[in-house]
């Protein structure tokens, strides 16, 4: 550790789930920061996103817990369900609560404000201004661009315009900007916000630190945990596996249609691991079609994911079309677990800066229909040499996206902005 930085604060509303599962971006990065001698505090909400569970606060406004040397501060927030007004109020609770809590604590050297929602970034900027310390704004999801893309808010409407103004100002005020997508600078240029386009954002302070995988934990879990999904046990059939959330944006209707297209092929079966508000709908649709070659076993513990992925023949990365976002690159968390599994990947979402295509880890392209995609699956399964090559390349690519290497890159950015701030 250099003398320029000793204390790092990370504001991520949704890091609560990372604390519970002992994994994820900021849990893994913070753990590596601590190993390098830094003191790290992660601020997150008491509620757990996409869950009815929460951290019991026992009437307190904040609560502290420590794991792997990383200190977590839970900020009391109201429960919510879905994406309505209660979720917005939950975000506001976190914003107010973290500002109040920060006033009670000693000065950090740098504050990292990480989206999804922008209030974490706004809070980080306010805290950094109060303490006179450096601030890094991190974007893991392009709000409001993604909200427009999914039809949650009106494209070009008043809410979107207000959010874009706030987004631009956050980037302008930050000492550094970190995107988890490789096309962050491209995005800023398209918006005309960079200096070269007449804006105020110097692209020299814009960086990419992608999502990744904790290879040490992944390999440990692979060695000591077992696959808990009976559908993944060997039965002579090729396993086409999806693992992740089951929500509308994941567009898993495609997998049901694939299973329908391939129902006559008794050597192939589809397994959809995970949970979400679309799971029951998909199960009902598969039953309506009389499909016996697709199953939805539900969620598995994160520590068991490596053992489950190891049973797959091809891993599926499925999503609905996101042309307005994919031009800047994609950074789905599940992709990096897929890479670590050393299994070939098939994706229906072509994107700029494609890791799958650039690193030769499988096939990523647009498909005209499920029949086209089912034919691609048959071709992949028949090409044993390519299956081996894709698997080897995926395993090699995982090392490039390990959180150990990401942490080293991030700390270079941290120490640079802290040095410049002083």
């Amino acid at each position: 550790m250099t003398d320029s930085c000793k204390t790092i604060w990370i504001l991520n509303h949704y890091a609560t789930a990372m604390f519970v599962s002992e994994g994820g971006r900021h849990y893994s990065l913070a753990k590596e920061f601590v190993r390098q001698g830094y003191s790290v505090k992660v601020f997150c909400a008491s509620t757990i996103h996409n869950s009815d569970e929460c951290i019991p606060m026992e009437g307190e406004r904040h609560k502290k817990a420590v794991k792997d040397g990383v200190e977590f501060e839970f900020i009391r927030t109201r429960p919510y369900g879905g994406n309505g007004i209660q979720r917005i109020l939950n975000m506001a609770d976190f914003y107010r609560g973290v500002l109040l809590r920060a006033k009670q604590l000693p000065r950090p050297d740098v504050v990292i404000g990480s989206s999804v929602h922008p209030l974490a970034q706004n809070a980080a900027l306010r805290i950094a201004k109060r303490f006179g310390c450096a601030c890094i704004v991190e974007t893991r999801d392009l709000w409001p661009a993604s909200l427009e893309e999914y039809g949650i808010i009106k494209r070009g409407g008043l809410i979107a315009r207000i959010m874009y103004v706030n987004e631009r100002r956050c980037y302008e005020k930050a000492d550094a900007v970190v995107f988890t997508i490789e096309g962050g600078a491209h995005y800023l240029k398209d918006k005309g916000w960079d200096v070269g386009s007449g804006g105020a954002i110097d692209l020299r302070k814009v960086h990419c630190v992608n999502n990744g995988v904790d290879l040490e934990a992944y390999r440990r879990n692979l060695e000591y945990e077992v696959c808990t999904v009976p559908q993944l046990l060997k039965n002579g059939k090729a396993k086409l596996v999806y693992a992740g959330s089951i929500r509308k944006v994941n567009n898993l209707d495609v997998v049901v249609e694939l299973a329908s297209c391939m129902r006559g092929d008794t050597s192939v079966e589809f397994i959809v691991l995970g949970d979400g508000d679309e799971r029951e709908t998909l199960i009902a649709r598969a039953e309506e079609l009389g499909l016996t070659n697709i199953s939805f076993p539900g969620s598995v513990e994160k520590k068991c994911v490596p053992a489950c992925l190891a049973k797959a023949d091809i891993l599926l990365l499925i999503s609905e079309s996101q042309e307005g976002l994919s031009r800047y690159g994609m950074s789905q968390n599940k992709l990096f677990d897929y890479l670590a599994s050393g299994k070939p990947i098939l994706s229906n979402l072509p994107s700029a800066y494609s890791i799958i295509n650039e690193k030769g880890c499988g096939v990523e392209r647009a498909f005209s229909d499920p029949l086209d995609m089912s034919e691609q699956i048959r071709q992949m399964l028949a090409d044993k040499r390519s299956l081996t090559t894709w698997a080897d390349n995926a395993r090699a690519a995982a090392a490039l996206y390990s959180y150990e290497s990401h942490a080293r890159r991030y700390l270079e950015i941290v120490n640079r902005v802290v040095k410049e701030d002083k």
Side-chain angles (χ1 to χ4, degrees):
M1 180 179 69
T2 69
D3 293 332
S4 57
C5 177
K6 294 181 180 179
T7 305
I8 301 170
W9 286 5
I10 301 172
L11 277 56
N12 176 358
H13 187 140
Y14 301 112
T16 325
M18 300 180 193
F19 173 84
V20 173
S21 67
E22 300 184 9
R25 179 179 180 84
H26 291 122
Y27 188 96
S28 299
L29 285 173
K31 186 172 65 173
E32 292 297 331
F33 294 166
V34 168
R35 286 179 177 176
Q36 296 300 317
Y38 294 79
S39 173
V40 185
K41 188 186 292 286
V42 178
F43 295 85
C44 52
S46 61
T47 46
I48 301 175
H49 188 47
N50 289 331
S51 170
D52 294 330
E53 298 179 12
C54 64
I55 302 297
M57 298 300 288
E58 295 148 352
E60 299 296 327
R61 291 184 178 274
H62 54 85
K63 185 176 183 179
K64 185 173 73 172
V66 179
K67 278 188 180 180
D68 283 325
V70 180
E71 190 174 298
F72 283 77
E73 286 265 359
F74 303 104
I75 304 300
R76 189 174 68 192
T77 54
R78 73 192 70 198
Y80 67 94
N83 292 313
I85 186 64
Q86 289 301 311
R87 184 180 180 190
I88 296 173
L89 293 175
N90 174 275
M91 296 175 188
D93 289 343
F94 177 75
Y95 176 76
R96 289 192 299 267
V98 77
L99 290 177
L100 289 171
R101 179 57 178 149
K103 292 180 180 180
Q104 304 169 349
L105 297 170
R107 177 187 183 276
D109 293 295
V110 63
V111 184
I112 301 171
S114 181
S115 65
V116 178
H117 70 74
L119 288 181
Q121 298 172 332
N122 289 109
L125 286 164
R126 286 192 61 179
I127 291 169
K129 182 177 181 180
R130 178 181 181 276
F131 282 113
C133 67
C135 181
I136 296 173
V137 163
E138 180 183 89
T139 294
R140 295 179 290 123
D141 195 356
L142 292 172
W143 276 29
S146 60
L147 302 183
E148 290 180 315
E149 188 80 7
Y150 303 142
I152 297 173
I153 62 174
K154 181 181 178 182
R155 192 179 295 275
L158 178 60
I159 294 175
R161 294 199 301 272
I162 292 171
M163 291 183 72
Y164 277 122
V165 169
N166 180 69
E167 181 189 18
R168 174 176 55 80
R169 287 178 176 171
C170 284
Y171 297 152
E172 289 174 352
K173 293 178 180 179
D175 295 292
V177 179
V178 172
F179 287 93
T180 59
I181 51 174
E182 292 189 45
H186 180 188
Y187 171 76
L188 297 177
K189 289 179 182 179
D190 283 352
K191 288 295 181 186
W193 295 345
D194 65 300
V195 172
S197 303
I201 301 172
D202 186 344
L203 294 182
R204 290 177 296 182
K205 74 175 186 179
V206 177
H207 311 273
C208 172
V209 179
N210 220 308
N211 284 322
V213 60
D214 185 335
L215 281 179
E216 179 184 346
Y218 191 97
R219 290 165 179 163
R220 182 175 62 249
N221 288 334
L222 181 60
E223 181 177 0
Y224 293 108
E225 302 297 333
V226 298
C227 176
T228 55
V229 179
Q231 291 91 332
L232 285 168
L233 299 180
K234 287 184 178 181
N235 59 2
K237 296 182 180 182
K239 312 289 186 180
L240 281 294
V241 178
Y242 169 90
S245 297
I246 306 178
R247 304 188 183 281
K248 195 168 185 63
V249 67
N250 304 116
N251 199 27
L252 294 176
D253 288 340
V254 169
V255 183
V256 176
E257 295 301 323
L258 280 172
S260 182
C261 286
M262 302 185 74
R263 67 168 74 207
D265 190 339
T266 57
S267 65
V268 173
E269 65 179 320
F270 295 85
I271 299 163
V272 179
L273 298 177
D275 205 354
D277 53 18
E278 288 286 300
R279 180 169 174 261
E280 294 302 321
T281 301
L282 294 173
I283 291 174
R285 177 60 176 157
E287 290 176 349
E288 179 185 329
L289 293 171
L291 301 178
T292 59
N293 61 343
I294 184 170
S295 59
F296 299 82
S299 296
V300 297
E301 288 187 81
K302 185 174 180 62
K303 65 182 181 180
C304 295
V305 168
C308 291
L309 296 185
K311 304 294 186 182
D313 291 278
I314 295 176
L315 295 170
L316 301 173
L317 193 63
I318 305 296
S319 182
E320 65 181 12
S321 176
Q322 302 176 38
E323 293 181 8
L325 303 176
S326 59
R327 64 186 299 186
Y328 304 116
M330 304 298 289
S331 188
Q332 305 98 318
N333 284 310
K334 67 176 72 67
L335 170 60
F336 302 97
D337 281 343
Y338 282 12
L339 294 175
S341 75
K343 297 293 181 177
I345 303 168
L346 175 61
S347 170
N348 72 337
L349 181 61
S351 64
Y353 313 96
S354 167
I355 293 172
I356 294 171
N357 287 340
E358 290 183 2
K359 305 300 183 185
C361 305
V363 176
E364 178 179 285
R365 68 175 178 88
F367 295 92
S368 57
D369 53 34
L371 189 61
D372 180 21
M373 196 170 184
S374 67
E375 185 55 37
Q376 179 69 72
I377 289 172
R378 290 189 178 96
Q379 291 175 15
M380 291 177 73
L381 290 173
D383 188 351
K384 303 302 183 184
R385 178 175 295 180
S386 291
L387 285 174
T388 299
T389 300
W390 290 324
D392 290 342
N393 289 345
R395 198 172 292 107
L400 301 176
Y401 295 95
S402 71
Y403 277 120
E404 183 179 9
S405 63
H406 283 353
R408 289 194 293 269
R409 170 67 177 141
Y410 220 126
L411 288 175
E412 290 175 1
I413 300 167
V414 164
N415 284 304
R416 185 181 308 139
V417 298
V418 170
K419 184 177 180 181
E420 291 172 352
D421 183 64
K422 291 183 177 180

